[in-house]
């Protein structure tokens, strides 16, 4: 796959701390790429360097085939014309309506006439704002984020960089933004920087996990689950006190770590076949009713917590 972004040994040091330390990663063209890390991991600093707003202390960056390091201002300006960017809190003139915002943004990047009118109509539809007549000053946070993505797309960029696009949104606002990001797959490369794991798990093809300025790992969500998921776990809920089940499981050679949940138990197992047969038998022998017994799929959150704790 052709690389939209290639970063090699990237470092950004400030007098008081190192924000990015030896980062190497690549982003495939046309993918939705999740750039994941806790607050303060160096995500926004990396985004600023990708856009040419901050100069790296060391290392190289290539975006859409253009090397950033040492590039002239004119070359950076042309490159930015091929990139759409949404900051974490986009700002708009409050007296404008959505169509006005897109028309204005389009004129700034050289899109005019019937092309701009057609693109405005398409992007308002993509953002779910076609029938919204109120001024932007009265928009909810989710509406503003969707409009911000539409504005970033008005120049038909090859690369869209989103910095924390769902931060502080309610569930409805988050769903609207994520649906919009999903719809862009294959139309543009999307670089999605966030600390919200469930959002990445839902929309991203590939993920890079950053912690304390360093790359912890990179791969597809399924690949990371398989590599770092650990033991298979089962959820067990019964219709009475689960402590009896916990004691019985502790004596089974195939049962590993047992944890208590709000509704029952979770147990790590070494032998799936034996576990499936023995758990119903054990519960029955204790005279209890089995309410729930199912395999728990390893989540990206499980992988993330494990890797960050291991790196620390």
């Amino acid at each position: 796959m052709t690389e939209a972004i290639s970063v090699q040994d990237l470092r950004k040091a400030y007098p008081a701390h190192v924000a990015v330390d030896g980062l190497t990663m690549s982003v495939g063209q046309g993918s939705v790429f999740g750039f994941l890390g806790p607050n303060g991991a160096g995500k926004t600093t990396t985004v600023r360097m990708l856009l040419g707003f901050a100069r790296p202390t060391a290392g190289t960056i290539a975006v859409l085939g253009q090397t950033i390091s040492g590039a002239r201002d004119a070359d950076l300006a042309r490159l930015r014309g091929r990139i759409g960017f949404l900051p974490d809190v986009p700002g708009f003139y409050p007296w404008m309506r959505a169509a006005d915002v897109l028309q204005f943004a389009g004129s700034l990047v050289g899109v005019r006439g019937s092309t701009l009118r057609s693109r405005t109509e398409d992007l308002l539809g993509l953002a779910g704002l076609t029938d919204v007549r109120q001024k932007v000053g009265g928009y909810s946070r989710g509406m503003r984020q969707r409009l911000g993505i539409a504005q970033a797309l008005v120049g038909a960029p090859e690369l869209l960089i989103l910095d924390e696009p769902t931060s502080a949104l309610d569930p409805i606002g988050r769903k609207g933004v994520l649906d919009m990001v999903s719809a862009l797959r294959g139309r543009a490369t999307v670089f999605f920087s966030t600390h919200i794991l469930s959002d990445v798990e839902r929309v991203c093809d590939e993920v890079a996990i950053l912690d304390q300025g360093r790359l912890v790992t990179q791969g597809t969500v399924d690949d990371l689950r398989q590599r770092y998921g650990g033991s298979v776990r089962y959820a067990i809920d019964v219709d009475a006190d689960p402590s009896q089940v916990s004691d019985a499981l502790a004596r089974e050679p195939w049962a590993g770590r047992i944890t208590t949940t709000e509704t029952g138990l979770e147990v790590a197992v070494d032998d799936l076949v034996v576990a499936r047969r023995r758990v119903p038998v054990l519960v029955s022998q204790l005279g209890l009713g089995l309410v729930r017994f199912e395999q728990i799929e390893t989540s990206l959150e499980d992988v993330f917590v494990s890797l960050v704790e291991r790196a620390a």
Side-chain angles (χ1 to χ4, degrees):
M1 182 182 293
T2 304
E3 293 180 350
I5 298 173
S6 178
V7 173
Q8 296 290 326
D9 299 320
L10 186 63
R11 178 179 172 86
K12 181 62 176 178
Y14 295 98
H17 74 289
V18 177
V20 179
D21 190 6
L23 175 62
T24 295
M25 66 176 183
S26 60
V27 178
Q29 195 167 7
S31 65
V32 179
F33 186 90
F35 192 48
L36 184 62
N39 291 329
K43 301 187 301 299
T44 296
T45 301
T46 301
V47 167
R48 286 176 52 79
M49 288 189 285
L50 291 176
L51 292 166
F53 296 151
R55 294 189 179 276
T57 305
T60 60
I61 306 171
V63 177
L64 301 176
Q66 169 73 54
T67 300
I68 299 292
S69 307
R72 297 177 302 174
D73 290 343
D75 293 331
L76 288 176
R78 282 192 291 270
L79 176 62
R80 291 188 190 117
R82 302 165 63 194
I83 300 172
F85 173 56
L86 175 69
D88 57 347
V89 182
F92 306 104
Y93 293 115
W95 47 267
M96 284 186 170
R97 291 180 170 81
D100 301 327
V101 171
L102 298 186
Q103 294 278 328
F104 176 62
S107 68
L108 293 178
V109 295
V111 184
R112 294 180 174 81
S114 60
T115 300
L116 180 56
R117 289 191 294 273
S118 174
R119 198 168 290 173
T120 296
E121 183 178 341
D122 291 343
L123 290 173
L124 288 175
L126 181 65
L129 299 172
T130 300
D131 297 323
V132 177
R133 298 289 177 252
Q134 72 184 107
K135 295 179 180 179
V136 174
Y139 277 18
S140 68
R141 179 75 185 270
M143 293 167 70
R144 293 172 69 87
Q145 293 295 89
R146 297 201 310 273
L147 178 58
I149 296 176
Q151 176 185 256
L153 289 170
V154 75
E158 299 167 53
L159 171 64
L160 178 64
I161 297 179
L162 308 176
D163 190 11
E164 303 282 1
T166 58
S167 179
L169 294 185
D170 60 27
I172 294 176
R174 176 172 289 118
K175 181 181 183 302
V177 170
L178 294 178
D179 287 346
M180 197 171 178
V181 171
S182 295
L184 296 173
R185 181 175 283 103
R187 297 171 57 177
T189 303
V190 181
F191 186 86
F192 183 7
S193 174
T194 184
H195 65 277
I196 303 176
L197 293 99
S198 58
D199 291 353
V200 170
E201 198 163 22
R202 175 177 166 183
V203 301
C204 293
D205 305 309
E206 193 166 0
V207 177
I209 296 178
L210 193 70
D211 185 48
Q212 298 182 13
R214 300 183 182 93
L215 181 71
V216 178
T217 191
Q218 178 178 343
T220 66
V221 173
D222 288 341
D223 179 46
L224 296 184
R225 284 173 179 157
Q226 292 174 7
R227 275 194 281 159
Y228 304 108
S231 301
V232 175
R233 293 174 299 145
Y234 274 94
I236 304 171
D237 298 345
V238 295
D239 60 0
D241 184 358
S243 61
Q244 299 178 67
V245 180
S246 179
D247 293 339
L249 288 172
R251 295 188 290 269
E252 296 291 322
W254 48 266
R257 182 181 179 186
I258 303 167
T259 55
T260 302
T261 66
E262 293 182 359
T263 59
L265 302 171
E266 287 184 9
V267 57
V269 304
D270 297 328
D271 191 321
L272 301 182
V273 175
V274 174
R276 292 182 188 128
R277 293 173 179 170
R278 285 290 294 161
V279 168
V281 173
L282 289 174
V283 173
S284 177
Q285 288 174 344
L286 293 170
L288 304 176
L290 187 59
V291 177
R292 178 189 178 208
F293 177 45
E294 65 180 4
Q295 184 175 334
I296 301 172
E297 183 178 355
T298 300
S299 68
L300 187 59
E301 181 177 1
D302 297 326
V303 173
F304 178 81
V305 171
S306 172
L307 288 174
V308 170
E309 288 179 347
R310 190 183 308 175

